[in-house]
Amino acid sequence: MKNKVKIFCPGTIANISCGFDVLGVALDSVGDEMVITKTAEKGIRITKIEGQQLPLETSKNVAGVAGLALLEASDYEGGFEIEIYKNIKPGSGIGSSAASSTGAVWAMNHLLDNPFSTTELVKFAMEGERLASGVAHADNVAPALFGGFTLVRSYEPLDIIDIPVPNELFATVIHPQIEIKTSESRKILKTNISLETGIKQWGNVGGLIAGLFKSDYDLIGRSLVDHIVEPIRSILIPSFDDIKKESLAAGALGCGISGSGPSIFTFSKGLDTANKVGDAMRRVYEKVGVDFDIHVSKINSQGIKIV
Ligand code: ADP
């Protein structure tokens, strides 16, 4: 019987351009690690967090809250201990909280011999997201658990569609070291759109999904357009327009805001182009003097993995 597992929990990009609140994707070389151990003692204890200052208290850490949601639904009599090794900075827009919520429930399900489906794990992990942002959204936790691209088609009932990943697709993500509160970046959004804008947006969502299914990189690029959120939110992100212009000039298929920012993502065909795009993005921030982290990553089609 396995009692302990060490896992990689991927960073994720949510709000992929036209797919605001519905489309997300998992990254392969950006993520946290966690060690989860079964214990005879009931409940969940977070015994160690390295890399970031985050609460050890079960009810204040998304890993604890998501884990408790799973325990409540399970007939398992014991408990778990959790260690978190954080690489993804909270508030970066690349799913720091989702990595912990999903890692906890995935590992617990694994150690209990998988009584729950992946969609049920998404529901438990969403409770962690509720703690982090006040809203139980699924657009980061779904790709972390399913891997690849996911579409949250509906919440009631929860319906998550797993979308195939073209082989040569890479992401480049730049994280300017500034803070944008998710609540602030939500507040500035309009609550209505015109029919004309809606038509353009759903044309692109359909195009993006079709492009991913067909591995049609040009179609993916043409469809990575957001007429609704990006024009408003991008004003909160330093040099967004220049980063976008330079990354497209360097060969990126498309560029947009990762999650609710401040990270900016691009997709490219092939690692070489993804690296060149990274250099172009880096030059923009070096010129204006903004500190940043940059990540180049293959798309992760597996999601959470045992390491
Ligand atoms: P991200 O979009 O990168 O997940 P959020 O701002 O949505 O960032 O979530 C981070 C919030 O969740 C912070 O307030 C942080 O203190 C809280 N939090 C609680 N537990 C964790 C955890 N295990 N990992 C990351 N953030 C956590």
Side-chain angles (χ1 to χ4, degrees), residues 186-193 232:
R186 275 251 164 205
K187 232 184 269 169
I188 63 169
L189 297 182
K190 292 187 192 147
T191 49
N192 290 302
I193 58 162
I232 299 171

Side-chain angles (χ1 to χ4, degrees), residues 102-118:
T102 55
V105 298
W106 188 94
M108 288 165 61
N109 194 45
H110 173 77
L111 293 174
L112 296 174
D113 283 330
N114 299 310
F116 297 108
S117 70
T118 309

Side-chain angles (χ1 to χ4, degrees), residues 54 60-62 84 86 89-97 100 132 182:
L54 289 165
K60 292 194 176 143
N61 194 300
V62 298
I84 305 173
K86 268 265 149 231
K89 292 181 184 158
S92 54
I94 41 178
S96 177
S97 53
S100 292
T182 306

Side-chain angles (χ1 to χ4, degrees), residues 169-189:
L169 200 62
F170 282 78
T172 310
V173 182
I174 192 158
H175 173 207
Q177 308 291 294
I178 60 153
E179 192 189 347
I180 299 178
K181 293 227 177 312
T182 306
S183 53
E184 291 300 315
S185 60
R186 275 251 164 205
K187 232 184 269 169
I188 63 169
L189 297 182

Side-chain angles (χ1 to χ4, degrees), residues 34 56 69 83 106 108 180 187 190 209 214 248 257 268 281:
M34 293 173 86
L56 281 165
E83 295 170 24
W106 188 94
M108 288 165 61
I180 299 178
K187 232 184 269 169
K190 292 187 192 147
I209 303 282
K214 291 161 60 142
L248 294 176
I257 302 169
S268 299
M281 293 167 121

